[in-house]
């Protein structure tokens, strides 16, 4: 009996690979949908959600023992998809919050400048490559690639992008609250001054 890739994968590992593949596919579909809809008002929050979820898949991969590929070289899974259109649409949606700075290695604290659109497109490329291996039945190759690229590339980019997106949300909400409080204070002062004028008293300064 000829041994197939699937026959050398135990049930628990195959189930784990299926779960990771589902999370990866969900992320890729969602990011493409966000780019197509071009709704800047919702894009930040939705990207924050999707990157948070795919980072959970990465954390699960990082917690596993090292996966090993079958061969020295990756099997051919065809050409990579063109994601340039995705990158350009995201750049247009994100506008002036696309460019951000982050520390790639906290133990070598040097800030680098990047673009969210580039980094999200790069994450999508890494994840999609593993998904093609999975769909062709190369489960051990898919797991190895997802784990290796998580540790070496897309995990760090996703963490930095998550922090940048969270910062945008925080500024949007917290700065709005501060502005609202200042507006309330100004209205209260106007009311106080009006009351003082009516009573013939001078408003305190």
């Amino acid at each position: 009996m000829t041994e197939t890739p699937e026959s050398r994968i135990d049930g628990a590992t195959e189930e784990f690979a299926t779960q990771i593949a589902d999370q990866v596919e969900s992320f890729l579909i969602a990011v493409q949908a966000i780019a197509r809809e071009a709704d800047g008002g919702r894009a930040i929050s939705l990207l924050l959600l999707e990157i948070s979820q795919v980072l959970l898949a990465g954390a699960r991969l990082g917690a596993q023992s090292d996966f090993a590929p079958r061969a020295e070289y990756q099997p051919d899974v065809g050409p990579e998809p063109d994601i340039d259109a995705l990158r350009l649409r995201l750049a247009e949606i994100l506008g002036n919050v696309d460019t951000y700075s982050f520390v790639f290695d906290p133990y070598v604290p040097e800030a680098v400048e990047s673009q969210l659109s580039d980094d999200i497109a790069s994450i999508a490329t890494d994840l999609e490559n593993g998904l093609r291996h999975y769909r062709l039945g190369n489960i051990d190759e898919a797991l190895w690639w997802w784990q290796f690229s998580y540790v070496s590339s897309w995990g760090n980019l996703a963490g930095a992008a998550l922090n940048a997106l969270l910062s945008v949300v925080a500024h949007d909400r917290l700065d709005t609250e501060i502005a609202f409080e200042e507006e309330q204070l100004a209205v209260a002062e106007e009311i106080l001054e009006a009351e003082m004028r009516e009573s013939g008293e001078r408003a305190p300064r």
Side-chain angles (χ1 to χ4, degrees):
M1 179 178 177
T2 303
E3 188 180 49
T4 64
E6 290 81 1
S7 67
R8 293 191 288 110
I9 299 291
D10 62 82
T13 303
E14 187 170 359
E15 175 61 23
F16 177 75
T18 298
Q19 293 171 5
I20 297 298
D22 288 344
Q23 288 180 278
V24 165
E25 185 172 23
S26 176
F27 173 82
L28 294 173
I29 291 172
V31 170
Q32 290 284 358
I34 292 167
R36 277 196 309 273
E37 291 173 6
D39 184 349
R42 299 177 63 230
I44 298 294
S45 296
L46 291 175
L47 287 171
L48 180 66
L49 173 63
E50 295 303 327
I51 292 176
S52 296
Q53 291 180 338
V54 83
L55 273 171
L56 174 59
R60 295 180 67 197
L61 288 161
Q64 299 289 318
S65 300
D66 289 350
F67 293 107
R70 289 196 312 275
E72 183 179 357
Y73 301 102
Q74 287 190 2
D76 184 15
V77 290
E80 291 184 353
D82 183 8
I83 63 165
D84 198 49
L86 170 68
R87 181 184 63 80
L88 292 174
R89 286 195 297 269
L90 288 175
E92 183 177 356
I93 294 168
L94 293 168
N96 60 1
V97 300
D98 190 28
T99 299
Y100 73 111
S101 298
F102 71 99
V103 175
F104 189 81
D105 185 346
Y107 295 101
V108 185
E110 180 180 350
V112 297
E113 189 174 274
S114 189
Q115 282 71 44
L116 282 167
S117 55
D118 287 347
D119 293 344
I120 294 171
S122 180
I123 294 165
T125 298
D126 281 343
L127 293 173
E128 197 278 336
N129 182 59
L131 189 60
R132 280 183 289 155
H133 283 295
Y134 174 82
R135 287 171 173 168
L136 290 175
N138 304 323
I139 295 177
D140 46 2
E141 188 74 32
L143 288 171
W144 173 82
W145 173 255
W146 279 326
Q147 186 184 62
F148 169 76
S149 59
Y150 167 72
V151 174
S152 64
S153 178
W154 73 263
N156 207 329
L157 291 179
L162 182 71
N163 192 39
L165 291 166
L166 180 58
S167 180
V168 174
V169 171
H171 281 297
D172 179 62
R173 295 188 177 180
L174 297 179
D175 292 351
T176 299
E177 290 177 5
I178 291 171
F180 180 68
E181 290 174 358
E182 290 176 349
E183 182 179 342
Q184 285 182 315
L185 182 59
V187 170
E189 288 179 348
E190 288 179 6
I191 294 173
L192 178 59
E193 288 179 355
E195 291 176 348
M196 291 295 186
R197 283 196 297 269
E198 289 178 2
S199 62
E201 299 179 17
R202 184 182 297 275
R205 292 291 180 183

